[in-house]
Amino acid sequence: MTKIDSAKILYSDGKNDECFTPYYGVEPILEYIPKNAIVWCPFDTEESEFVKQISKTNKVVFSHIKYGQDFLTYEPKKWDIIISNPPFTNKKEFFKRALSFNKPFALIMTNTWLNDSAPKQIFKDKELQLLMFTYRMLFIQNGEIDTRITFSSSYYCWNFLPKQIVIKDLMTPNEFKKEFNTLRLKNG
């Protein structure tokens, strides 16, 4: 069995940052999106599950660094809330920027970040909210399930959830792997 070095992935130089959130990782946040809110997905393309699912009920504005739209410097003209999965590299700056808008947000981040001093400093005077899950969420990289990710993740939110900590059931990793492989075989 191959041993996985979580620290290498978590504190990498960014080569592992383009991990996509599968549909079942987006579904739990949907019920908390206000009906008429314009949702900015700042780390997403039109192929993102965030864009696909949220656009069924809300207007979505998406942006991505590959389009020259760096979250640290770019802002769309009109939006109400942010929902996305930012790169884990440079996470402190992404959360500081999200808080600077003074608008609600929900961003996926590793739970191990709670052991770091950064979230405590950033959210010291703001109420951090967490949407946590009963199982570890898997991510997609290069069209495959990324099995190297050994940590669990949550939505780190501000001014978004009805209470500070919400825990939701999530499909088990094995259930998702089975479903993912079945769909891949079906779609050829």
PDB file of all heavy atoms in Angstrom, residues 16 18-22 24-25 50 84-86 88 108-110 133 136-155 176 180:
ATOM      1  N   ASN A  16      -1.394  20.896  -7.023  1.00  0.00           N
ATOM      2  CA  ASN A  16      -2.584  20.089  -6.735  1.00  0.00           C
ATOM      3  C   ASN A  16      -3.827  20.952  -6.558  1.00  0.00           C
ATOM      4  O   ASN A  16      -4.844  20.472  -6.096  1.00  0.00           O
ATOM      5  CB  ASN A  16      -2.363  19.292  -5.440  1.00  0.00           C
ATOM      6  CG  ASN A  16      -1.202  18.352  -5.549  1.00  0.00           C
ATOM      7  OD1 ASN A  16      -1.096  17.617  -6.503  1.00  0.00           O
ATOM      8  ND2 ASN A  16      -0.312  18.400  -4.576  1.00  0.00           N
ATOM      9  N   GLU A  18      -5.947  22.468  -8.634  1.00  0.00           N
ATOM     10  CA  GLU A  18      -7.093  22.389  -9.533  1.00  0.00           C
ATOM     11  C   GLU A  18      -7.848  21.090  -9.291  1.00  0.00           C
ATOM     12  O   GLU A  18      -7.837  20.179 -10.085  1.00  0.00           O
ATOM     13  CB  GLU A  18      -6.642  22.514 -10.990  1.00  0.00           C
ATOM     14  CG  GLU A  18      -7.754  22.874 -11.958  1.00  0.00           C
ATOM     15  CD  GLU A  18      -8.336  24.257 -11.756  1.00  0.00           C
ATOM     16  OE1 GLU A  18      -7.614  25.245 -11.938  1.00  0.00           O
ATOM     17  OE2 GLU A  18      -9.517  24.350 -11.411  1.00  0.00           O
ATOM     18  N   CYS A  19      -8.491  21.029  -8.125  1.00  0.00           N
ATOM     19  CA  CYS A  19      -9.334  19.890  -7.767  1.00  0.00           C
ATOM     20  C   CYS A  19     -10.778  20.346  -7.820  1.00  0.00           C
ATOM     21  O   CYS A  19     -11.126  21.381  -7.259  1.00  0.00           O
ATOM     22  CB  CYS A  19      -8.998  19.393  -6.364  1.00  0.00           C
ATOM     23  SG  CYS A  19      -7.380  18.629  -6.253  1.00  0.00           S
ATOM     24  N   PHE A  20     -11.619  19.582  -8.480  1.00  0.00           N
ATOM     25  CA  PHE A  20     -12.997  19.982  -8.698  1.00  0.00           C
ATOM     26  C   PHE A  20     -13.926  19.319  -7.698  1.00  0.00           C
ATOM     27  O   PHE A  20     -13.773  18.145  -7.371  1.00  0.00           O
ATOM     28  CB  PHE A  20     -13.411  19.636 -10.132  1.00  0.00           C
ATOM     29  CG  PHE A  20     -12.557  20.327 -11.154  1.00  0.00           C
ATOM     30  CD1 PHE A  20     -11.486  19.669 -11.739  1.00  0.00           C
ATOM     31  CD2 PHE A  20     -12.801  21.639 -11.508  1.00  0.00           C
ATOM     32  CE1 PHE A  20     -10.680  20.301 -12.668  1.00  0.00           C
ATOM     33  CE2 PHE A  20     -12.002  22.285 -12.434  1.00  0.00           C
ATOM     34  CZ  PHE A  20     -10.938  21.611 -13.015  1.00  0.00           C
ATOM     35  N   THR A  21     -14.902  20.083  -7.260  1.00  0.00           N
ATOM     36  CA  THR A  21     -15.889  19.590  -6.319  1.00  0.00           C
ATOM     37  C   THR A  21     -16.946  18.804  -7.090  1.00  0.00           C
ATOM     38  O   THR A  21     -17.533  19.323  -8.032  1.00  0.00           O
ATOM     39  CB  THR A  21     -16.563  20.766  -5.587  1.00  0.00           C
ATOM     40  OG1 THR A  21     -15.535  21.582  -5.011  1.00  0.00           O
ATOM     41  CG2 THR A  21     -17.511  20.281  -4.510  1.00  0.00           C
ATOM     42  N   PRO A  22     -17.203  17.556  -6.712  1.00  0.00           N
ATOM     43  CA  PRO A  22     -18.244  16.776  -7.390  1.00  0.00           C
ATOM     44  C   PRO A  22     -19.633  17.276  -6.986  1.00  0.00           C
ATOM     45  O   PRO A  22     -19.785  17.975  -5.979  1.00  0.00           O
ATOM     46  CB  PRO A  22     -17.995  15.353  -6.898  1.00  0.00           C
ATOM     47  CG  PRO A  22     -17.316  15.516  -5.588  1.00  0.00           C
ATOM     48  CD  PRO A  22     -16.533  16.799  -5.661  1.00  0.00           C
ATOM     49  N   TYR A  24     -22.074  16.007  -5.472  1.00  0.00           N
ATOM     50  CA  TYR A  24     -22.581  15.705  -4.137  1.00  0.00           C
ATOM     51  C   TYR A  24     -21.934  16.595  -3.064  1.00  0.00           C
ATOM     52  O   TYR A  24     -22.457  16.692  -1.948  1.00  0.00           O
ATOM     53  CB  TYR A  24     -22.419  14.214  -3.808  1.00  0.00           C
ATOM     54  CG  TYR A  24     -21.052  13.775  -3.314  1.00  0.00           C
ATOM     55  CD1 TYR A  24     -20.833  13.514  -1.971  1.00  0.00           C
ATOM     56  CD2 TYR A  24     -19.981  13.617  -4.197  1.00  0.00           C
ATOM     57  CE1 TYR A  24     -19.598  13.095  -1.511  1.00  0.00           C
ATOM     58  CE2 TYR A  24     -18.749  13.199  -3.751  1.00  0.00           C
ATOM     59  CZ  TYR A  24     -18.562  12.942  -2.400  1.00  0.00           C
ATOM     60  OH  TYR A  24     -17.327  12.535  -1.959  1.00  0.00           O
ATOM     61  N   GLY A  25     -20.861  17.283  -3.414  1.00  0.00           N
ATOM     62  CA  GLY A  25     -20.265  18.261  -2.508  1.00  0.00           C
ATOM     63  C   GLY A  25     -20.900  19.628  -2.635  1.00  0.00           C
ATOM     64  O   GLY A  25     -20.739  20.486  -1.766  1.00  0.00           O
ATOM     65  N   PHE A  50     -20.562  23.737  -9.281  1.00  0.00           N
ATOM     66  CA  PHE A  50     -21.176  24.892  -8.626  1.00  0.00           C
ATOM     67  C   PHE A  50     -22.017  25.665  -9.631  1.00  0.00           C
ATOM     68  O   PHE A  50     -23.174  25.981  -9.386  1.00  0.00           O
ATOM     69  CB  PHE A  50     -20.110  25.825  -8.021  1.00  0.00           C
ATOM     70  CG  PHE A  50     -19.456  25.288  -6.790  1.00  0.00           C
ATOM     71  CD1 PHE A  50     -18.171  24.776  -6.845  1.00  0.00           C
ATOM     72  CD2 PHE A  50     -20.112  25.287  -5.578  1.00  0.00           C
ATOM     73  CE1 PHE A  50     -17.557  24.280  -5.714  1.00  0.00           C
ATOM     74  CE2 PHE A  50     -19.509  24.791  -4.428  1.00  0.00           C
ATOM     75  CZ  PHE A  50     -18.220  24.283  -4.503  1.00  0.00           C
ATOM     76  N   SER A  84     -17.798  28.694  -3.579  1.00  0.00           N
ATOM     77  CA  SER A  84     -16.814  28.037  -4.436  1.00  0.00           C
ATOM     78  C   SER A  84     -15.884  27.145  -3.623  1.00  0.00           C
ATOM     79  O   SER A  84     -16.021  27.012  -2.410  1.00  0.00           O
ATOM     80  CB  SER A  84     -15.999  29.077  -5.209  1.00  0.00           C
ATOM     81  OG  SER A  84     -15.310  28.474  -6.279  1.00  0.00           O
ATOM     82  N   ASN A  85     -14.936  26.572  -4.345  1.00  0.00           N
ATOM     83  CA  ASN A  85     -13.869  25.775  -3.769  1.00  0.00           C
ATOM     84  C   ASN A  85     -12.558  26.425  -4.212  1.00  0.00           C
ATOM     85  O   ASN A  85     -12.076  26.165  -5.302  1.00  0.00           O
ATOM     86  CB  ASN A  85     -13.966  24.335  -4.282  1.00  0.00           C
ATOM     87  CG  ASN A  85     -12.835  23.454  -3.803  1.00  0.00           C
ATOM     88  OD1 ASN A  85     -11.997  23.875  -3.004  1.00  0.00           O
ATOM     89  ND2 ASN A  85     -12.785  22.243  -4.306  1.00  0.00           N
ATOM     90  N   PRO A  86     -11.979  27.276  -3.368  1.00  0.00           N
ATOM     91  CA  PRO A  86     -10.749  27.964  -3.769  1.00  0.00           C
ATOM     92  C   PRO A  86      -9.542  27.032  -3.719  1.00  0.00           C
ATOM     93  O   PRO A  86      -9.572  26.004  -3.039  1.00  0.00           O
ATOM     94  CB  PRO A  86     -10.607  29.064  -2.721  1.00  0.00           C
ATOM     95  CG  PRO A  86     -11.258  28.500  -1.502  1.00  0.00           C
ATOM     96  CD  PRO A  86     -12.397  27.644  -2.020  1.00  0.00           C
ATOM     97  N   PHE A  88      -6.251  25.623  -2.301  1.00  0.00           N
ATOM     98  CA  PHE A  88      -5.814  25.607  -0.909  1.00  0.00           C
ATOM     99  C   PHE A  88      -4.513  26.392  -0.729  1.00  0.00           C
ATOM    100  O   PHE A  88      -4.216  26.868   0.348  1.00  0.00           O
ATOM    101  CB  PHE A  88      -5.669  24.179  -0.406  1.00  0.00           C
ATOM    102  CG  PHE A  88      -6.991  23.482  -0.169  1.00  0.00           C
ATOM    103  CD1 PHE A  88      -8.200  24.049  -0.531  1.00  0.00           C
ATOM    104  CD2 PHE A  88      -7.022  22.244   0.432  1.00  0.00           C
ATOM    105  CE1 PHE A  88      -9.408  23.409  -0.313  1.00  0.00           C
ATOM    106  CE2 PHE A  88      -8.221  21.584   0.667  1.00  0.00           C
ATOM    107  CZ  PHE A  88      -9.416  22.165   0.291  1.00  0.00           C
ATOM    108  N   ILE A 108     -15.196  26.154   0.356  1.00  0.00           N
ATOM    109  CA  ILE A 108     -14.707  24.864   0.846  1.00  0.00           C
ATOM    110  C   ILE A 108     -13.244  24.991   1.259  1.00  0.00           C
ATOM    111  O   ILE A 108     -12.438  25.594   0.553  1.00  0.00           O
ATOM    112  CB  ILE A 108     -14.856  23.774  -0.233  1.00  0.00           C
ATOM    113  CG1 ILE A 108     -16.336  23.492  -0.492  1.00  0.00           C
ATOM    114  CG2 ILE A 108     -14.134  22.495   0.177  1.00  0.00           C
ATOM    115  CD1 ILE A 108     -16.591  22.494  -1.598  1.00  0.00           C
ATOM    116  N   MET A 109     -12.930  24.390   2.399  1.00  0.00           N
ATOM    117  CA  MET A 109     -11.546  24.376   2.876  1.00  0.00           C
ATOM    118  C   MET A 109     -11.348  23.136   3.732  1.00  0.00           C
ATOM    119  O   MET A 109     -12.285  22.616   4.327  1.00  0.00           O
ATOM    120  CB  MET A 109     -11.255  25.648   3.687  1.00  0.00           C
ATOM    121  CG  MET A 109      -9.827  25.821   4.139  1.00  0.00           C
ATOM    122  SD  MET A 109      -8.560  25.604   2.859  1.00  0.00           S
ATOM    123  CE  MET A 109      -9.046  26.756   1.586  1.00  0.00           C
ATOM    124  N   THR A 110     -10.114  22.700   3.807  1.00  0.00           N
ATOM    125  CA  THR A 110      -9.774  21.548   4.624  1.00  0.00           C
ATOM    126  C   THR A 110     -10.017  21.833   6.109  1.00  0.00           C
ATOM    127  O   THR A 110      -9.751  22.939   6.590  1.00  0.00           O
ATOM    128  CB  THR A 110      -8.306  21.133   4.412  1.00  0.00           C
ATOM    129  OG1 THR A 110      -7.967  20.146   5.379  1.00  0.00           O
ATOM    130  CG2 THR A 110      -7.350  22.294   4.565  1.00  0.00           C
ATOM    131  N   PHE A 133     -19.501  17.785   7.340  1.00  0.00           N
ATOM    132  CA  PHE A 133     -20.106  16.579   6.785  1.00  0.00           C
ATOM    133  C   PHE A 133     -19.766  15.342   7.598  1.00  0.00           C
ATOM    134  O   PHE A 133     -18.726  15.276   8.240  1.00  0.00           O
ATOM    135  CB  PHE A 133     -19.654  16.398   5.336  1.00  0.00           C
ATOM    136  CG  PHE A 133     -19.942  17.604   4.493  1.00  0.00           C
ATOM    137  CD1 PHE A 133     -18.914  18.420   4.050  1.00  0.00           C
ATOM    138  CD2 PHE A 133     -21.245  17.950   4.189  1.00  0.00           C
ATOM    139  CE1 PHE A 133     -19.192  19.549   3.298  1.00  0.00           C
ATOM    140  CE2 PHE A 133     -21.536  19.069   3.435  1.00  0.00           C
ATOM    141  CZ  PHE A 133     -20.501  19.878   2.984  1.00  0.00           C
ATOM    142  N   ARG A 136     -15.913  12.231   4.595  1.00  0.00           N
ATOM    143  CA  ARG A 136     -14.927  13.005   3.831  1.00  0.00           C
ATOM    144  C   ARG A 136     -15.402  13.163   2.382  1.00  0.00           C
ATOM    145  O   ARG A 136     -15.836  12.218   1.748  1.00  0.00           O
ATOM    146  CB  ARG A 136     -13.583  12.276   3.878  1.00  0.00           C
ATOM    147  CG  ARG A 136     -12.471  12.944   3.130  1.00  0.00           C
ATOM    148  CD  ARG A 136     -11.140  12.257   3.404  1.00  0.00           C
ATOM    149  NE  ARG A 136     -11.154  10.831   3.172  1.00  0.00           N
ATOM    150  CZ  ARG A 136     -10.768  10.246   2.044  1.00  0.00           C
ATOM    151  NH1 ARG A 136     -10.329  10.957   1.038  1.00  0.00           N
ATOM    152  NH2 ARG A 136     -10.803   8.938   1.931  1.00  0.00           N
ATOM    153  N   MET A 137     -15.304  14.382   1.883  1.00  0.00           N
ATOM    154  CA  MET A 137     -15.653  14.659   0.496  1.00  0.00           C
ATOM    155  C   MET A 137     -14.468  14.314  -0.400  1.00  0.00           C
ATOM    156  O   MET A 137     -13.324  14.625  -0.074  1.00  0.00           O
ATOM    157  CB  MET A 137     -15.981  16.155   0.342  1.00  0.00           C
ATOM    158  CG  MET A 137     -16.501  16.550  -1.021  1.00  0.00           C
ATOM    159  SD  MET A 137     -16.683  18.358  -1.235  1.00  0.00           S
ATOM    160  CE  MET A 137     -17.490  18.869   0.257  1.00  0.00           C
ATOM    161  N   LEU A 138     -14.745  13.666  -1.504  1.00  0.00           N
ATOM    162  CA  LEU A 138     -13.705  13.386  -2.496  1.00  0.00           C
ATOM    163  C   LEU A 138     -13.744  14.472  -3.569  1.00  0.00           C
ATOM    164  O   LEU A 138     -14.779  15.107  -3.778  1.00  0.00           O
ATOM    165  CB  LEU A 138     -13.933  12.012  -3.131  1.00  0.00           C
ATOM    166  CG  LEU A 138     -13.815  10.821  -2.181  1.00  0.00           C
ATOM    167  CD1 LEU A 138     -14.131   9.522  -2.907  1.00  0.00           C
ATOM    168  CD2 LEU A 138     -12.425  10.752  -1.572  1.00  0.00           C
ATOM    169  N   PHE A 139     -12.637  14.667  -4.252  1.00  0.00           N
ATOM    170  CA  PHE A 139     -12.542  15.682  -5.299  1.00  0.00           C
ATOM    171  C   PHE A 139     -12.078  15.032  -6.589  1.00  0.00           C
ATOM    172  O   PHE A 139     -11.535  13.930  -6.589  1.00  0.00           O
ATOM    173  CB  PHE A 139     -11.576  16.797  -4.873  1.00  0.00           C
ATOM    174  CG  PHE A 139     -12.056  17.555  -3.673  1.00  0.00           C
ATOM    175  CD1 PHE A 139     -11.683  17.183  -2.393  1.00  0.00           C
ATOM    176  CD2 PHE A 139     -12.913  18.633  -3.828  1.00  0.00           C
ATOM    177  CE1 PHE A 139     -12.143  17.867  -1.285  1.00  0.00           C
ATOM    178  CE2 PHE A 139     -13.381  19.328  -2.722  1.00  0.00           C
ATOM    179  CZ  PHE A 139     -13.001  18.939  -1.450  1.00  0.00           C
ATOM    180  N   ILE A 140     -12.281  15.734  -7.687  1.00  0.00           N
ATOM    181  CA  ILE A 140     -11.917  15.248  -9.014  1.00  0.00           C
ATOM    182  C   ILE A 140     -10.730  16.053  -9.522  1.00  0.00           C
ATOM    183  O   ILE A 140     -10.731  17.287  -9.453  1.00  0.00           O
ATOM    184  CB  ILE A 140     -13.097  15.411 -10.017  1.00  0.00           C
ATOM    185  CG1 ILE A 140     -14.395  14.816  -9.470  1.00  0.00           C
ATOM    186  CG2 ILE A 140     -12.732  14.842 -11.380  1.00  0.00           C
ATOM    187  CD1 ILE A 140     -14.372  13.336  -9.263  1.00  0.00           C
ATOM    188  N   GLN A 141      -9.723  15.361 -10.035  1.00  0.00           N
ATOM    189  CA  GLN A 141      -8.569  16.022 -10.649  1.00  0.00           C
ATOM    190  C   GLN A 141      -8.221  15.267 -11.919  1.00  0.00           C
ATOM    191  O   GLN A 141      -8.083  14.038 -11.902  1.00  0.00           O
ATOM    192  CB  GLN A 141      -7.381  16.059  -9.686  1.00  0.00           C
ATOM    193  CG  GLN A 141      -6.231  16.908 -10.219  1.00  0.00           C
ATOM    194  CD  GLN A 141      -5.099  17.020  -9.219  1.00  0.00           C
ATOM    195  OE1 GLN A 141      -4.678  16.039  -8.639  1.00  0.00           O
ATOM    196  NE2 GLN A 141      -4.600  18.227  -9.046  1.00  0.00           N
ATOM    197  N   ASN A 142      -8.116  15.998 -13.015  1.00  0.00           N
ATOM    198  CA  ASN A 142      -7.808  15.389 -14.323  1.00  0.00           C
ATOM    199  C   ASN A 142      -8.798  14.278 -14.685  1.00  0.00           C
ATOM    200  O   ASN A 142      -8.417  13.242 -15.215  1.00  0.00           O
ATOM    201  CB  ASN A 142      -6.374  14.858 -14.362  1.00  0.00           C
ATOM    202  CG  ASN A 142      -5.361  15.957 -14.137  1.00  0.00           C
ATOM    203  OD1 ASN A 142      -5.517  17.064 -14.640  1.00  0.00           O
ATOM    204  ND2 ASN A 142      -4.328  15.662 -13.365  1.00  0.00           N
ATOM    205  N   GLY A 143     -10.075  14.492 -14.360  1.00  0.00           N
ATOM    206  CA  GLY A 143     -11.110  13.533 -14.720  1.00  0.00           C
ATOM    207  C   GLY A 143     -11.165  12.273 -13.868  1.00  0.00           C
ATOM    208  O   GLY A 143     -11.930  11.362 -14.148  1.00  0.00           O
ATOM    209  N   GLU A 144     -10.354  12.216 -12.821  1.00  0.00           N
ATOM    210  CA  GLU A 144     -10.300  11.038 -11.941  1.00  0.00           C
ATOM    211  C   GLU A 144     -10.557  11.460 -10.501  1.00  0.00           C
ATOM    212  O   GLU A 144     -10.281  12.591 -10.119  1.00  0.00           O
ATOM    213  CB  GLU A 144      -8.918  10.379 -12.013  1.00  0.00           C
ATOM    214  CG  GLU A 144      -8.522   9.872 -13.393  1.00  0.00           C
ATOM    215  CD  GLU A 144      -9.333   8.669 -13.827  1.00  0.00           C
ATOM    216  OE1 GLU A 144      -9.760   7.887 -12.956  1.00  0.00           O
ATOM    217  OE2 GLU A 144      -9.551   8.524 -15.041  1.00  0.00           O
ATOM    218  N   ILE A 145     -11.040  10.536  -9.695  1.00  0.00           N
ATOM    219  CA  ILE A 145     -11.167  10.796  -8.263  1.00  0.00           C
ATOM    220  C   ILE A 145      -9.763  10.909  -7.684  1.00  0.00           C
ATOM    221  O   ILE A 145      -8.927  10.039  -7.909  1.00  0.00           O
ATOM    222  CB  ILE A 145     -11.952   9.671  -7.564  1.00  0.00           C
ATOM    223  CG1 ILE A 145     -13.387   9.630  -8.082  1.00  0.00           C
ATOM    224  CG2 ILE A 145     -11.925   9.860  -6.053  1.00  0.00           C
ATOM    225  CD1 ILE A 145     -14.180   8.444  -7.564  1.00  0.00           C
ATOM    226  N   ASP A 146      -9.516  11.982  -6.969  1.00  0.00           N
ATOM    227  CA  ASP A 146      -8.196  12.200  -6.376  1.00  0.00           C
ATOM    228  C   ASP A 146      -8.151  11.503  -5.026  1.00  0.00           C
ATOM    229  O   ASP A 146      -8.657  12.010  -4.030  1.00  0.00           O
ATOM    230  CB  ASP A 146      -7.921  13.694  -6.225  1.00  0.00           C
ATOM    231  CG  ASP A 146      -6.479  13.994  -5.872  1.00  0.00           C
ATOM    232  OD1 ASP A 146      -5.784  13.082  -5.377  1.00  0.00           O
ATOM    233  OD2 ASP A 146      -6.040  15.131  -6.084  1.00  0.00           O
ATOM    234  N   THR A 147      -7.554  10.335  -4.985  1.00  0.00           N
ATOM    235  CA  THR A 147      -7.493   9.538  -3.756  1.00  0.00           C
ATOM    236  C   THR A 147      -6.352   9.974  -2.832  1.00  0.00           C
ATOM    237  O   THR A 147      -6.220   9.446  -1.738  1.00  0.00           O
ATOM    238  CB  THR A 147      -7.334   8.043  -4.086  1.00  0.00           C
ATOM    239  OG1 THR A 147      -6.160   7.870  -4.888  1.00  0.00           O
ATOM    240  CG2 THR A 147      -8.548   7.512  -4.825  1.00  0.00           C
ATOM    241  N   ARG A 148      -5.549  10.934  -3.269  1.00  0.00           N
ATOM    242  CA  ARG A 148      -4.434  11.401  -2.433  1.00  0.00           C
ATOM    243  C   ARG A 148      -4.909  12.310  -1.308  1.00  0.00           C
ATOM    244  O   ARG A 148      -4.194  12.531  -0.347  1.00  0.00           O
ATOM    245  CB  ARG A 148      -3.408  12.149  -3.281  1.00  0.00           C
ATOM    246  CG  ARG A 148      -2.766  11.289  -4.353  1.00  0.00           C
ATOM    247  CD  ARG A 148      -1.957  12.132  -5.311  1.00  0.00           C
ATOM    248  NE  ARG A 148      -2.819  13.154  -5.881  1.00  0.00           N
ATOM    249  CZ  ARG A 148      -2.406  14.338  -6.311  1.00  0.00           C
ATOM    250  NH1 ARG A 148      -1.143  14.660  -6.258  1.00  0.00           N
ATOM    251  NH2 ARG A 148      -3.248  15.214  -6.816  1.00  0.00           N
ATOM    252  N   ILE A 149      -6.103  12.846  -1.426  1.00  0.00           N
ATOM    253  CA  ILE A 149      -6.605  13.770  -0.406  1.00  0.00           C
ATOM    254  C   ILE A 149      -7.124  12.944   0.770  1.00  0.00           C
ATOM    255  O   ILE A 149      -8.107  12.219   0.638  1.00  0.00           O
ATOM    256  CB  ILE A 149      -7.686  14.701  -0.989  1.00  0.00           C
ATOM    257  CG1 ILE A 149      -7.054  15.571  -2.086  1.00  0.00           C
ATOM    258  CG2 ILE A 149      -8.312  15.552   0.105  1.00  0.00           C
ATOM    259  CD1 ILE A 149      -8.025  16.417  -2.860  1.00  0.00           C
ATOM    260  N   THR A 150      -6.443  13.070   1.889  1.00  0.00           N
ATOM    261  CA  THR A 150      -6.751  12.240   3.052  1.00  0.00           C
ATOM    262  C   THR A 150      -7.452  13.003   4.164  1.00  0.00           C
ATOM    263  O   THR A 150      -7.721  12.444   5.222  1.00  0.00           O
ATOM    264  CB  THR A 150      -5.453  11.636   3.622  1.00  0.00           C
ATOM    265  OG1 THR A 150      -4.585  12.714   4.000  1.00  0.00           O
ATOM    266  CG2 THR A 150      -4.761  10.759   2.601  1.00  0.00           C
ATOM    267  N   PHE A 151      -7.733  14.274   3.958  1.00  0.00           N
ATOM    268  CA  PHE A 151      -8.349  15.093   4.998  1.00  0.00           C
ATOM    269  C   PHE A 151      -9.800  15.402   4.641  1.00  0.00           C
ATOM    270  O   PHE A 151     -10.187  15.363   3.477  1.00  0.00           O
ATOM    271  CB  PHE A 151      -7.572  16.396   5.195  1.00  0.00           C
ATOM    272  CG  PHE A 151      -7.212  17.068   3.893  1.00  0.00           C
ATOM    273  CD1 PHE A 151      -8.124  17.847   3.206  1.00  0.00           C
ATOM    274  CD2 PHE A 151      -5.939  16.911   3.358  1.00  0.00           C
ATOM    275  CE1 PHE A 151      -7.794  18.457   2.005  1.00  0.00           C
ATOM    276  CE2 PHE A 151      -5.591  17.520   2.159  1.00  0.00           C
ATOM    277  CZ  PHE A 151      -6.531  18.292   1.479  1.00  0.00           C
ATOM    278  N   SER A 152     -10.595  15.723   5.644  1.00  0.00           N
ATOM    279  CA  SER A 152     -11.975  16.114   5.388  1.00  0.00           C
ATOM    280  C   SER A 152     -12.041  17.621   5.166  1.00  0.00           C
ATOM    281  O   SER A 152     -11.154  18.363   5.566  1.00  0.00           O
ATOM    282  CB  SER A 152     -12.878  15.692   6.552  1.00  0.00           C
ATOM    283  OG  SER A 152     -12.496  16.362   7.733  1.00  0.00           O
ATOM    284  N   SER A 153     -13.102  18.041   4.520  1.00  0.00           N
ATOM    285  CA  SER A 153     -13.297  19.457   4.210  1.00  0.00           C
ATOM    286  C   SER A 153     -14.693  19.894   4.640  1.00  0.00           C
ATOM    287  O   SER A 153     -15.584  19.063   4.808  1.00  0.00           O
ATOM    288  CB  SER A 153     -13.141  19.695   2.703  1.00  0.00           C
ATOM    289  OG  SER A 153     -11.851  19.349   2.273  1.00  0.00           O
ATOM    290  N   SER A 154     -14.844  21.194   4.784  1.00  0.00           N
ATOM    291  CA  SER A 154     -16.125  21.797   5.139  1.00  0.00           C
ATOM    292  C   SER A 154     -16.291  23.073   4.348  1.00  0.00           C
ATOM    293  O   SER A 154     -15.331  23.596   3.772  1.00  0.00           O
ATOM    294  CB  SER A 154     -16.166  22.154   6.632  1.00  0.00           C
ATOM    295  OG  SER A 154     -16.086  21.014   7.428  1.00  0.00           O
ATOM    296  N   TYR A 155     -17.496  23.608   4.368  1.00  0.00           N
ATOM    297  CA  TYR A 155     -17.703  24.965   3.876  1.00  0.00           C
ATOM    298  C   TYR A 155     -17.412  25.898   5.037  1.00  0.00           C
ATOM    299  O   TYR A 155     -18.050  25.805   6.086  1.00  0.00           O
ATOM    300  CB  TYR A 155     -19.141  25.179   3.404  1.00  0.00           C
ATOM    301  CG  TYR A 155     -19.440  24.607   2.047  1.00  0.00           C
ATOM    302  CD1 TYR A 155     -19.953  23.324   1.911  1.00  0.00           C
ATOM    303  CD2 TYR A 155     -19.219  25.362   0.899  1.00  0.00           C
ATOM    304  CE1 TYR A 155     -20.236  22.797   0.661  1.00  0.00           C
ATOM    305  CE2 TYR A 155     -19.510  24.837  -0.359  1.00  0.00           C
ATOM    306  CZ  TYR A 155     -20.016  23.558  -0.466  1.00  0.00           C
ATOM    307  OH  TYR A 155     -20.299  23.041  -1.704  1.00  0.00           O
ATOM    308  N   PHE A 176     -19.546   7.169  -3.543  1.00  0.00           N
ATOM    309  CA  PHE A 176     -19.253   8.085  -4.648  1.00  0.00           C
ATOM    310  C   PHE A 176     -18.344   7.423  -5.680  1.00  0.00           C
ATOM    311  O   PHE A 176     -18.564   7.552  -6.879  1.00  0.00           O
ATOM    312  CB  PHE A 176     -18.627   9.387  -4.156  1.00  0.00           C
ATOM    313  CG  PHE A 176     -18.245  10.296  -5.288  1.00  0.00           C
ATOM    314  CD1 PHE A 176     -19.212  10.837  -6.124  1.00  0.00           C
ATOM    315  CD2 PHE A 176     -16.914  10.585  -5.550  1.00  0.00           C
ATOM    316  CE1 PHE A 176     -18.867  11.662  -7.189  1.00  0.00           C
ATOM    317  CE2 PHE A 176     -16.567  11.397  -6.609  1.00  0.00           C
ATOM    318  CZ  PHE A 176     -17.541  11.940  -7.433  1.00  0.00           C
ATOM    319  N   PHE A 180     -19.353   7.117  -9.475  1.00  0.00           N
ATOM    320  CA  PHE A 180     -18.472   7.782 -10.437  1.00  0.00           C
ATOM    321  C   PHE A 180     -18.009   6.793 -11.504  1.00  0.00           C
ATOM    322  O   PHE A 180     -18.064   7.084 -12.703  1.00  0.00           O
ATOM    323  CB  PHE A 180     -17.273   8.386  -9.704  1.00  0.00           C
ATOM    324  CG  PHE A 180     -16.313   9.134 -10.589  1.00  0.00           C
ATOM    325  CD1 PHE A 180     -16.557  10.452 -10.919  1.00  0.00           C
ATOM    326  CD2 PHE A 180     -15.159   8.525 -11.055  1.00  0.00           C
ATOM    327  CE1 PHE A 180     -15.664  11.153 -11.729  1.00  0.00           C
ATOM    328  CE2 PHE A 180     -14.268   9.212 -11.870  1.00  0.00           C
ATOM    329  CZ  PHE A 180     -14.526  10.534 -12.197  1.00  0.00           C
TER     330      PHE A 180
END
